[in-house]
Amino acid sequence: MLKNGIIKTNFVHPFTLKSGIKSPIYCNLREIMAYPYLLKLVISSFKEQFVNGGLFDVIMGVHSGAAVYADCLAYVLWRPLAYVRPDVKAHGLKKQIEGASVLGKSIFLIEDVISTGGSIINDAEIILKAGATSVSCHSIFSYEMEKAKEEFANASLSYSSLLTIQDVLLELKETGNTGYEILKSWFTDPKNWFKTWFPKV
């Protein structure tokens, strides 16, 4: 994904993540859809996690970045599909969860990227409140921030990721990329990294 520019690095002009944190790495995983072989690899990897996790009742994706992966996985595994709306529907049946019922069901919930974990944790809590027996959280990529680990622990949830920032660090180190030390320093302290590396900005 580094080669395809899906996972991007910029050690001169950092990106701003959804959480507001400045970062030298950014993942636009929607671009996976432009590469059928990568999409197939992601779905195959999620399929393996799904089977090894105990064959869940319903597959869900966090709106909207992870929706396509949930759709594909549900089709491949012939499983019911659902998603959490960003807001409760103001008309009709006024639902917040669309698709399959989650009541009494075990849920396989997909996110594309986990930074601090806010979006997927929010969805998981809504799903559990709606009567699901369990929610298993999964992502394509995780920044592995301590903040995310704390938030998942506070919510009594756990998660797994197909790729993490450790994989990116290993690739940069093995290829002798000069950005390795910069990204390593960001990983150590993402909240204060920008102030340390760009003190005059």
mmCIF file of all heavy atoms in Angstrom, residues 132-179:
data_model
loop_
_atom_site.group_PDB
_atom_site.id
_atom_site.type_symbol
_atom_site.label_atom_id
_atom_site.label_comp_id
_atom_site.label_asym_id
_atom_site.label_seq_id
_atom_site.Cartn_x
_atom_site.Cartn_y
_atom_site.Cartn_z
ATOM 1 N N ALA A 132 -27.221 -6.440 20.742
ATOM 2 C CA ALA A 132 -26.259 -7.442 20.269
ATOM 3 C C ALA A 132 -25.588 -8.126 21.460
ATOM 4 O O ALA A 132 -25.367 -7.496 22.499
ATOM 5 C CB ALA A 132 -25.202 -6.787 19.383
ATOM 6 N N THR A 133 -25.258 -9.387 21.315
ATOM 7 C CA THR A 133 -24.613 -10.119 22.404
ATOM 8 C C THR A 133 -23.123 -9.805 22.499
ATOM 9 O O THR A 133 -22.544 -9.841 23.578
ATOM 10 C CB THR A 133 -24.795 -11.628 22.222
ATOM 11 O OG1 THR A 133 -24.262 -12.008 20.941
ATOM 12 C CG2 THR A 133 -26.269 -12.010 22.282
ATOM 13 N N SER A 134 -22.509 -9.488 21.342
ATOM 14 C CA SER A 134 -21.077 -9.176 21.333
ATOM 15 C C SER A 134 -20.724 -8.433 20.051
ATOM 16 O O SER A 134 -21.413 -8.547 19.035
ATOM 17 C CB SER A 134 -20.235 -10.455 21.428
ATOM 18 O OG SER A 134 -20.435 -11.272 20.271
ATOM 19 N N VAL A 135 -19.648 -7.657 20.132
ATOM 20 C CA VAL A 135 -19.133 -6.948 18.956
ATOM 21 C C VAL A 135 -17.630 -7.184 18.889
ATOM 22 O O VAL A 135 -16.900 -6.875 19.834
ATOM 23 C CB VAL A 135 -19.409 -5.431 19.019
ATOM 24 C CG1 VAL A 135 -18.800 -4.738 17.805
ATOM 25 C CG2 VAL A 135 -20.906 -5.155 19.091
ATOM 26 N N SER A 136 -17.179 -7.730 17.771
ATOM 27 C CA SER A 136 -15.755 -7.955 17.545
ATOM 28 C C SER A 136 -15.272 -6.907 16.544
ATOM 29 O O SER A 136 -15.773 -6.832 15.421
ATOM 30 C CB SER A 136 -15.527 -9.372 16.991
ATOM 31 O OG SER A 136 -14.157 -9.634 16.809
ATOM 32 N N CYS A 137 -14.315 -6.075 16.963
ATOM 33 C CA CYS A 137 -13.872 -4.938 16.154
ATOM 34 C C CYS A 137 -12.624 -5.275 15.335
ATOM 35 O O CYS A 137 -11.659 -5.828 15.870
ATOM 36 C CB CYS A 137 -13.580 -3.737 17.051
ATOM 37 S SG CYS A 137 -15.008 -3.162 17.992
ATOM 38 N N HIS A 138 -12.653 -4.878 14.061
ATOM 39 C CA HIS A 138 -11.548 -5.177 13.142
ATOM 40 C C HIS A 138 -11.288 -3.984 12.238
ATOM 41 O O HIS A 138 -12.213 -3.262 11.876
ATOM 42 C CB HIS A 138 -11.887 -6.400 12.294
ATOM 43 C CG HIS A 138 -12.236 -7.607 13.090
ATOM 44 N ND1 HIS A 138 -11.321 -8.592 13.387
ATOM 45 C CD2 HIS A 138 -13.402 -7.977 13.679
ATOM 46 C CE1 HIS A 138 -11.914 -9.524 14.128
ATOM 47 N NE2 HIS A 138 -13.176 -9.167 14.316
ATOM 48 N N SER A 139 -10.029 -3.779 11.864
ATOM 49 C CA SER A 139 -9.707 -2.695 10.936
ATOM 50 C C SER A 139 -8.663 -3.160 9.933
ATOM 51 O O SER A 139 -7.965 -4.158 10.150
ATOM 52 C CB SER A 139 -9.178 -1.471 11.693
ATOM 53 O OG SER A 139 -7.862 -1.691 12.161
ATOM 54 N N ILE A 140 -8.571 -2.414 8.840
ATOM 55 C CA ILE A 140 -7.524 -2.697 7.860
ATOM 56 C C ILE A 140 -6.191 -2.192 8.406
ATOM 57 O O ILE A 140 -5.185 -2.883 8.339
ATOM 58 C CB ILE A 140 -7.836 -2.019 6.515
ATOM 59 C CG1 ILE A 140 -9.153 -2.553 5.945
ATOM 60 C CG2 ILE A 140 -6.695 -2.256 5.513
ATOM 61 C CD1 ILE A 140 -9.629 -1.829 4.708
ATOM 62 N N PHE A 141 -6.206 -0.964 8.959
ATOM 63 C CA PHE A 141 -4.964 -0.366 9.457
ATOM 64 C C PHE A 141 -5.198 0.290 10.812
ATOM 65 O O PHE A 141 -6.261 0.845 11.070
ATOM 66 C CB PHE A 141 -4.450 0.694 8.470
ATOM 67 C CG PHE A 141 -3.124 1.299 8.854
ATOM 68 C CD1 PHE A 141 -1.942 0.690 8.478
ATOM 69 C CD2 PHE A 141 -3.062 2.468 9.601
ATOM 70 C CE1 PHE A 141 -0.706 1.232 8.842
ATOM 71 C CE2 PHE A 141 -1.855 3.022 9.969
ATOM 72 C CZ PHE A 141 -0.673 2.401 9.587
ATOM 73 N N SER A 142 -4.195 0.221 11.660
ATOM 74 C CA SER A 142 -4.241 0.902 12.956
ATOM 75 C C SER A 142 -2.933 1.642 13.194
ATOM 76 O O SER A 142 -1.852 1.131 12.910
ATOM 77 C CB SER A 142 -4.460 -0.100 14.093
ATOM 78 O OG SER A 142 -4.274 0.526 15.355
ATOM 79 N N TYR A 143 -3.059 2.875 13.691
ATOM 80 C CA TYR A 143 -1.883 3.654 14.072
ATOM 81 C C TYR A 143 -1.302 3.169 15.395
ATOM 82 O O TYR A 143 -0.230 3.626 15.797
ATOM 83 C CB TYR A 143 -2.247 5.139 14.185
ATOM 84 C CG TYR A 143 -2.564 5.807 12.867
ATOM 85 C CD1 TYR A 143 -3.876 6.061 12.489
ATOM 86 C CD2 TYR A 143 -1.552 6.185 11.998
ATOM 87 C CE1 TYR A 143 -4.178 6.685 11.290
ATOM 88 C CE2 TYR A 143 -1.831 6.807 10.795
ATOM 89 C CZ TYR A 143 -3.153 7.054 10.440
ATOM 90 O OH TYR A 143 -3.442 7.665 9.245
ATOM 91 N N GLU A 144 -2.019 2.299 16.085
ATOM 92 C CA GLU A 144 -1.561 1.727 17.347
ATOM 93 C C GLU A 144 -1.289 2.795 18.412
ATOM 94 O O GLU A 144 -0.325 2.694 19.175
ATOM 95 C CB GLU A 144 -0.303 0.875 17.128
ATOM 96 C CG GLU A 144 -0.534 -0.387 16.330
ATOM 97 C CD GLU A 144 -1.398 -1.409 17.077
ATOM 98 O OE1 GLU A 144 -0.860 -2.134 17.916
ATOM 99 O OE2 GLU A 144 -2.608 -1.462 16.807
ATOM 100 N N MET A 145 -2.125 3.811 18.457
ATOM 101 C CA MET A 145 -1.967 4.855 19.469
ATOM 102 C C MET A 145 -2.373 4.349 20.846
ATOM 103 O O MET A 145 -3.315 3.567 20.975
ATOM 104 C CB MET A 145 -2.829 6.070 19.118
ATOM 105 C CG MET A 145 -2.400 6.820 17.890
ATOM 106 S SD MET A 145 -3.419 8.314 17.705
ATOM 107 C CE MET A 145 -2.860 8.887 16.097
ATOM 108 N N GLU A 146 -1.666 4.813 21.861
ATOM 109 C CA GLU A 146 -2.020 4.461 23.234
ATOM 110 C C GLU A 146 -3.430 4.941 23.575
ATOM 111 O O GLU A 146 -4.150 4.297 24.324
ATOM 112 C CB GLU A 146 -1.009 5.064 24.216
ATOM 113 C CG GLU A 146 0.345 4.380 24.214
ATOM 114 C CD GLU A 146 0.244 2.904 24.584
ATOM 115 O OE1 GLU A 146 -0.552 2.570 25.488
ATOM 116 O OE2 GLU A 146 0.952 2.098 23.977
ATOM 117 N N LYS A 147 -3.807 6.086 22.994
ATOM 118 C CA LYS A 147 -5.143 6.628 23.218
ATOM 119 C C LYS A 147 -6.214 5.637 22.785
ATOM 120 O O LYS A 147 -7.225 5.436 23.474
ATOM 121 C CB LYS A 147 -5.303 7.938 22.447
ATOM 122 C CG LYS A 147 -6.694 8.570 22.513
ATOM 123 C CD LYS A 147 -7.026 9.086 23.898
ATOM 124 C CE LYS A 147 -8.325 9.860 23.888
ATOM 125 N NZ LYS A 147 -8.736 10.314 25.244
ATOM 126 N N ALA A 148 -6.001 4.984 21.646
ATOM 127 C CA ALA A 148 -6.960 3.986 21.155
ATOM 128 C C ALA A 148 -7.039 2.800 22.110
ATOM 129 O O ALA A 148 -8.134 2.318 22.429
ATOM 130 C CB ALA A 148 -6.560 3.523 19.759
ATOM 131 N N LYS A 149 -5.888 2.342 22.562
ATOM 132 C CA LYS A 149 -5.866 1.202 23.484
ATOM 133 C C LYS A 149 -6.625 1.532 24.767
ATOM 134 O O LYS A 149 -7.366 0.702 25.296
ATOM 135 C CB LYS A 149 -4.414 0.813 23.790
ATOM 136 C CG LYS A 149 -3.644 0.304 22.578
ATOM 137 C CD LYS A 149 -2.191 0.033 22.902
ATOM 138 C CE LYS A 149 -1.419 -0.403 21.659
ATOM 139 N NZ LYS A 149 0.019 -0.622 21.948
ATOM 140 N N GLU A 150 -6.443 2.758 25.249
ATOM 141 C CA GLU A 150 -7.144 3.192 26.464
ATOM 142 C C GLU A 150 -8.653 3.265 26.238
ATOM 143 O O GLU A 150 -9.437 2.812 27.068
ATOM 144 C CB GLU A 150 -6.628 4.566 26.887
ATOM 145 C CG GLU A 150 -5.188 4.566 27.389
ATOM 146 C CD GLU A 150 -4.648 5.970 27.593
ATOM 147 O OE1 GLU A 150 -5.443 6.937 27.426
ATOM 148 O OE2 GLU A 150 -3.451 6.114 27.902
ATOM 149 N N GLU A 151 -9.051 3.814 25.085
ATOM 150 C CA GLU A 151 -10.479 3.967 24.783
ATOM 151 C C GLU A 151 -11.163 2.615 24.615
ATOM 152 O O GLU A 151 -12.287 2.408 25.088
ATOM 153 C CB GLU A 151 -10.663 4.816 23.519
ATOM 154 C CG GLU A 151 -10.234 6.267 23.655
ATOM 155 C CD GLU A 151 -11.075 7.030 24.674
ATOM 156 O OE1 GLU A 151 -12.260 6.706 24.851
ATOM 157 O OE2 GLU A 151 -10.529 7.957 25.310
ATOM 158 N N PHE A 152 -10.503 1.687 23.959
ATOM 159 C CA PHE A 152 -11.073 0.343 23.796
ATOM 160 C C PHE A 152 -11.191 -0.355 25.151
ATOM 161 O O PHE A 152 -12.191 -1.011 25.434
ATOM 162 C CB PHE A 152 -10.213 -0.493 22.840
ATOM 163 C CG PHE A 152 -10.577 -0.319 21.391
ATOM 164 C CD1 PHE A 152 -9.921 0.605 20.601
ATOM 165 C CD2 PHE A 152 -11.591 -1.076 20.810
ATOM 166 C CE1 PHE A 152 -10.254 0.784 19.264
ATOM 167 C CE2 PHE A 152 -11.943 -0.915 19.486
ATOM 168 C CZ PHE A 152 -11.265 0.022 18.703
ATOM 169 N N ALA A 153 -10.171 -0.197 25.977
ATOM 170 C CA ALA A 153 -10.205 -0.813 27.305
ATOM 171 C C ALA A 153 -11.335 -0.221 28.150
ATOM 172 O O ALA A 153 -12.061 -0.957 28.832
ATOM 173 C CB ALA A 153 -8.861 -0.610 28.006
ATOM 174 N N ASN A 154 -11.500 1.099 28.068
ATOM 175 C CA ASN A 154 -12.565 1.765 28.830
ATOM 176 C C ASN A 154 -13.949 1.310 28.384
ATOM 177 O O ASN A 154 -14.894 1.292 29.181
ATOM 178 C CB ASN A 154 -12.453 3.287 28.690
ATOM 179 C CG ASN A 154 -11.241 3.853 29.404
ATOM 180 O OD1 ASN A 154 -10.702 3.229 30.316
ATOM 181 N ND2 ASN A 154 -10.805 5.034 28.997
ATOM 182 N N ALA A 155 -14.063 0.946 27.105
ATOM 183 C CA ALA A 155 -15.343 0.494 26.564
ATOM 184 C C ALA A 155 -15.513 -1.026 26.678
ATOM 185 O O ALA A 155 -16.510 -1.574 26.203
ATOM 186 C CB ALA A 155 -15.469 0.922 25.110
ATOM 187 N N SER A 156 -14.520 -1.681 27.287
ATOM 188 C CA SER A 156 -14.523 -3.152 27.416
ATOM 189 C C SER A 156 -14.606 -3.832 26.053
ATOM 190 O O SER A 156 -15.326 -4.822 25.855
ATOM 191 C CB SER A 156 -15.688 -3.608 28.311
ATOM 192 O OG SER A 156 -15.555 -3.084 29.610
ATOM 193 N N LEU A 157 -13.854 -3.279 25.096
ATOM 194 C CA LEU A 157 -13.792 -3.828 23.752
ATOM 195 C C LEU A 157 -12.340 -4.124 23.398
ATOM 196 O O LEU A 157 -11.414 -3.618 24.020
ATOM 197 C CB LEU A 157 -14.356 -2.821 22.732
ATOM 198 C CG LEU A 157 -15.840 -2.481 22.824
ATOM 199 C CD1 LEU A 157 -16.145 -1.246 21.973
ATOM 200 C CD2 LEU A 157 -16.696 -3.661 22.380
ATOM 201 N N SER A 158 -12.162 -4.951 22.385
ATOM 202 C CA SER A 158 -10.825 -5.217 21.868
ATOM 203 C C SER A 158 -10.889 -5.104 20.349
ATOM 204 O O SER A 158 -11.973 -5.080 19.762
ATOM 205 C CB SER A 158 -10.344 -6.612 22.278
ATOM 206 O OG SER A 158 -11.214 -7.614 21.773
ATOM 207 N N TYR A 159 -9.733 -5.025 19.711
ATOM 208 C CA TYR A 159 -9.730 -4.924 18.246
ATOM 209 C C TYR A 159 -8.498 -5.604 17.668
ATOM 210 O O TYR A 159 -7.502 -5.836 18.369
ATOM 211 C CB TYR A 159 -9.777 -3.460 17.803
ATOM 212 C CG TYR A 159 -8.502 -2.675 18.057
ATOM 213 C CD1 TYR A 159 -7.542 -2.523 17.059
ATOM 214 C CD2 TYR A 159 -8.265 -2.062 19.286
ATOM 215 C CE1 TYR A 159 -6.384 -1.797 17.283
ATOM 216 C CE2 TYR A 159 -7.111 -1.325 19.518
ATOM 217 C CZ TYR A 159 -6.168 -1.197 18.508
ATOM 218 O OH TYR A 159 -5.019 -0.477 18.733
ATOM 219 N N SER A 160 -8.582 -5.908 16.392
ATOM 220 C CA SER A 160 -7.434 -6.451 15.664
ATOM 221 C C SER A 160 -7.348 -5.735 14.326
ATOM 222 O O SER A 160 -8.361 -5.263 13.801
ATOM 223 C CB SER A 160 -7.574 -7.957 15.462
ATOM 224 O OG SER A 160 -8.689 -8.247 14.626
ATOM 225 N N SER A 161 -6.140 -5.644 13.774
ATOM 226 C CA SER A 161 -5.927 -4.941 12.514
ATOM 227 C C SER A 161 -5.096 -5.801 11.565
ATOM 228 O O SER A 161 -4.207 -6.533 12.005
ATOM 229 C CB SER A 161 -5.211 -3.606 12.753
ATOM 230 O OG SER A 161 -5.962 -2.785 13.628
ATOM 231 N N LEU A 162 -5.390 -5.670 10.283
ATOM 232 C CA LEU A 162 -4.637 -6.418 9.282
ATOM 233 C C LEU A 162 -3.228 -5.864 9.145
ATOM 234 O O LEU A 162 -2.276 -6.614 8.936
ATOM 235 C CB LEU A 162 -5.349 -6.357 7.923
ATOM 236 C CG LEU A 162 -6.798 -6.861 7.884
ATOM 237 C CD1 LEU A 162 -7.345 -6.767 6.460
ATOM 238 C CD2 LEU A 162 -6.891 -8.298 8.389
ATOM 239 N N LEU A 163 -3.103 -4.546 9.253
ATOM 240 C CA LEU A 163 -1.810 -3.868 9.179
ATOM 241 C C LEU A 163 -1.741 -2.829 10.288
ATOM 242 O O LEU A 163 -2.764 -2.275 10.691
ATOM 243 C CB LEU A 163 -1.634 -3.153 7.836
ATOM 244 C CG LEU A 163 -1.461 -3.993 6.574
ATOM 245 C CD1 LEU A 163 -1.551 -3.093 5.352
ATOM 246 C CD2 LEU A 163 -0.135 -4.727 6.592
ATOM 247 N N THR A 164 -0.526 -2.558 10.768
ATOM 248 C CA THR A 164 -0.350 -1.509 11.771
ATOM 249 C C THR A 164 0.835 -0.633 11.382
ATOM 250 O O THR A 164 1.577 -0.933 10.431
ATOM 251 C CB THR A 164 -0.087 -2.085 13.178
ATOM 252 O OG1 THR A 164 1.256 -2.615 13.222
ATOM 253 C CG2 THR A 164 -1.089 -3.174 13.532
ATOM 254 N N ILE A 165 1.018 0.433 12.124
ATOM 255 C CA ILE A 165 2.140 1.327 11.863
ATOM 256 C C ILE A 165 3.483 0.605 12.018
ATOM 257 O O ILE A 165 4.484 0.988 11.413
ATOM 258 C CB ILE A 165 2.074 2.559 12.794
ATOM 259 C CG1 ILE A 165 3.026 3.652 12.276
ATOM 260 C CG2 ILE A 165 2.364 2.179 14.232
ATOM 261 C CD1 ILE A 165 2.864 4.972 12.973
ATOM 262 N N GLN A 166 3.485 -0.463 12.799
ATOM 263 C CA GLN A 166 4.719 -1.244 12.951
ATOM 264 C C GLN A 166 5.160 -1.844 11.619
ATOM 265 O O GLN A 166 6.352 -1.962 11.342
ATOM 266 C CB GLN A 166 4.517 -2.347 13.993
ATOM 267 C CG GLN A 166 4.252 -1.861 15.396
ATOM 268 C CD GLN A 166 5.455 -1.170 16.025
ATOM 269 O OE1 GLN A 166 6.550 -1.196 15.484
ATOM 270 N NE2 GLN A 166 5.249 -0.539 17.167
ATOM 271 N N ASP A 167 4.193 -2.230 10.791
ATOM 272 C CA ASP A 167 4.519 -2.771 9.466
ATOM 273 C C ASP A 167 5.139 -1.689 8.580
ATOM 274 O O ASP A 167 6.067 -1.959 7.804
ATOM 275 C CB ASP A 167 3.256 -3.323 8.798
ATOM 276 C CG ASP A 167 2.657 -4.486 9.571
ATOM 277 O OD1 ASP A 167 3.361 -5.498 9.748
ATOM 278 O OD2 ASP A 167 1.501 -4.379 9.995
ATOM 279 N N VAL A 168 4.639 -0.461 8.704
ATOM 280 C CA VAL A 168 5.189 0.652 7.929
ATOM 281 C C VAL A 168 6.600 0.975 8.405
ATOM 282 O O VAL A 168 7.513 1.190 7.600
ATOM 283 C CB VAL A 168 4.290 1.895 8.043
ATOM 284 C CG1 VAL A 168 4.897 3.063 7.271
ATOM 285 C CG2 VAL A 168 2.887 1.594 7.534
ATOM 286 N N LEU A 169 6.793 1.006 9.725
ATOM 287 C CA LEU A 169 8.123 1.275 10.274
ATOM 288 C C LEU A 169 9.133 0.238 9.807
ATOM 289 O O LEU A 169 10.269 0.571 9.436
ATOM 290 C CB LEU A 169 8.061 1.285 11.807
ATOM 291 C CG LEU A 169 7.481 2.542 12.453
ATOM 292 C CD1 LEU A 169 7.183 2.306 13.927
ATOM 293 C CD2 LEU A 169 8.433 3.726 12.277
ATOM 294 N N LEU A 170 8.725 -1.022 9.794
ATOM 295 C CA LEU A 170 9.620 -2.098 9.349
ATOM 296 C C LEU A 170 10.005 -1.907 7.886
ATOM 297 O O LEU A 170 11.173 -2.066 7.513
ATOM 298 C CB LEU A 170 8.938 -3.450 9.547
ATOM 299 C CG LEU A 170 9.768 -4.682 9.143
ATOM 300 C CD1 LEU A 170 11.046 -4.762 9.968
ATOM 301 C CD2 LEU A 170 8.937 -5.949 9.327
ATOM 302 N N GLU A 171 9.023 -1.532 7.049
ATOM 303 C CA GLU A 171 9.295 -1.308 5.624
ATOM 304 C C GLU A 171 10.263 -0.149 5.436
ATOM 305 O O GLU A 171 11.215 -0.233 4.643
ATOM 306 C CB GLU A 171 7.976 -1.020 4.898
ATOM 307 C CG GLU A 171 8.112 -0.654 3.435
ATOM 308 C CD GLU A 171 8.543 -1.811 2.550
ATOM 309 O OE1 GLU A 171 8.459 -2.970 3.004
ATOM 310 O OE2 GLU A 171 8.950 -1.544 1.400
ATOM 311 N N LEU A 172 10.054 0.944 6.165
ATOM 312 C CA LEU A 172 10.947 2.097 6.049
ATOM 313 C C LEU A 172 12.360 1.761 6.512
ATOM 314 O O LEU A 172 13.347 2.165 5.897
ATOM 315 C CB LEU A 172 10.408 3.274 6.871
ATOM 316 C CG LEU A 172 9.078 3.889 6.420
ATOM 317 C CD1 LEU A 172 8.696 5.033 7.342
ATOM 318 C CD2 LEU A 172 9.162 4.376 4.978
ATOM 319 N N LYS A 173 12.455 0.997 7.581
ATOM 320 C CA LYS A 173 13.770 0.623 8.117
ATOM 321 C C LYS A 173 14.517 -0.287 7.148
ATOM 322 O O LYS A 173 15.707 -0.083 6.888
ATOM 323 C CB LYS A 173 13.596 -0.079 9.466
ATOM 324 C CG LYS A 173 14.911 -0.396 10.154
ATOM 325 C CD LYS A 173 14.670 -1.010 11.533
ATOM 326 C CE LYS A 173 15.988 -1.267 12.253
ATOM 327 N NZ LYS A 173 15.768 -1.859 13.604
ATOM 328 N N GLU A 174 13.811 -1.269 6.609
ATOM 329 C CA GLU A 174 14.452 -2.239 5.715
ATOM 330 C C GLU A 174 14.879 -1.623 4.389
ATOM 331 O O GLU A 174 15.831 -2.096 3.755
ATOM 332 C CB GLU A 174 13.510 -3.420 5.471
ATOM 333 C CG GLU A 174 13.331 -4.309 6.699
ATOM 334 C CD GLU A 174 12.447 -5.507 6.425
ATOM 335 O OE1 GLU A 174 11.752 -5.508 5.379
ATOM 336 O OE2 GLU A 174 12.461 -6.450 7.236
ATOM 337 N N THR A 175 14.178 -0.559 3.965
ATOM 338 C CA THR A 175 14.526 0.090 2.702
ATOM 339 C C THR A 175 15.454 1.286 2.903
ATOM 340 O O THR A 175 15.819 1.962 1.941
ATOM 341 C CB THR A 175 13.250 0.564 1.973
ATOM 342 O OG1 THR A 175 12.499 1.439 2.829
ATOM 343 C CG2 THR A 175 12.391 -0.619 1.575
ATOM 344 N N GLY A 176 15.839 1.535 4.162
ATOM 345 C CA GLY A 176 16.758 2.632 4.446
ATOM 346 C C GLY A 176 16.151 4.007 4.260
ATOM 347 O O GLY A 176 16.861 4.991 4.029
ATOM 348 N N ASN A 177 14.844 4.114 4.385
ATOM 349 C CA ASN A 177 14.154 5.385 4.219
ATOM 350 C C ASN A 177 14.520 6.326 5.375
ATOM 351 O O ASN A 177 14.451 5.948 6.544
ATOM 352 C CB ASN A 177 12.638 5.156 4.187
ATOM 353 C CG ASN A 177 11.868 6.394 3.768
ATOM 354 O OD1 ASN A 177 11.940 7.432 4.404
ATOM 355 N ND2 ASN A 177 11.122 6.263 2.686
ATOM 356 N N THR A 178 14.885 7.568 5.024
ATOM 357 C CA THR A 178 15.335 8.525 6.042
ATOM 358 C C THR A 178 14.189 8.966 6.962
ATOM 359 O O THR A 178 14.435 9.563 8.007
ATOM 360 C CB THR A 178 15.935 9.777 5.376
ATOM 361 O OG1 THR A 178 14.988 10.325 4.445
ATOM 362 C CG2 THR A 178 17.215 9.412 4.617
ATOM 363 N N GLY A 179 12.963 8.678 6.579
ATOM 364 C CA GLY A 179 11.835 9.055 7.403
ATOM 365 C C GLY A 179 11.569 8.103 8.553
ATOM 366 O O GLY A 179 10.701 8.364 9.397
#
